[in-house]
């Protein structure tokens, strides 16, 4: 079983910055792709940023140039540095981690979600 713990959300003024963290623990043999998603009230969940096992990244157009995703493979952790925050970035942010357990089973798990609120 794999557990994900997120931290770093909060309330910030427009133009401010936040850093989200997500650490995976438990029965992990290998972590593959990692990503951050968000869901605003009344909207569908959307991909914010994704990072492959090899470090390749991709971003939603709305956050390019403002957000940076990174990972620490030794810690099974993924981070999202968010700069130049806008009120439209307000949402619950959740990390997603995919990998393989010690029993060669694939896993695809989600963090509990952390609220990011940007005031104008």
């Amino acid at each position: 079983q794999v557990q994900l713990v997120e931290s770093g959300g909060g309330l910030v003024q427009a133009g401010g910055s936040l850093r989200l963290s997500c650490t995976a623990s438990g029965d992990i043999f290998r972590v593959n792709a990692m990503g951050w998603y968000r869901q605003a009230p009344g909207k569908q969940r959307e991909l914010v940023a994704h990072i492959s096992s090899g470090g390749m990244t991709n971003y939603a157009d709305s956050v390019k140039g403002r957000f940076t995703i990174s990972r620490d493979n030794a810690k099974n952790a993924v981070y999202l540095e968010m700069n130049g925050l806008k009120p439209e970035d307000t949402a619950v942010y959740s990390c997603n981690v995919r990998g393989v357990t010690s029993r060669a089973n694939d896993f695809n798990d989600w963090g509990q979600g952390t609220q990011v609120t940007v005031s104008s």
Side-chain angles (χ1 to χ4, degrees), residues 2-3 13 27 69 76 92 95 98-100 106-108 110-111 114:
V2 176
Q3 299 81 38
Q13 288 188 332
D27 182 16
I69 188 171
N76 290 330
V92 175
C95 63
R98 302 185 182 193
V100 182
D106 293 335
F107 67 86
N108 180 1
W110 293 86
T114 186

Side-chain angles (χ1 to χ4, degrees), residues 18 29 41 55 67:
L18 285 173
F29 174 73
F67 291 11

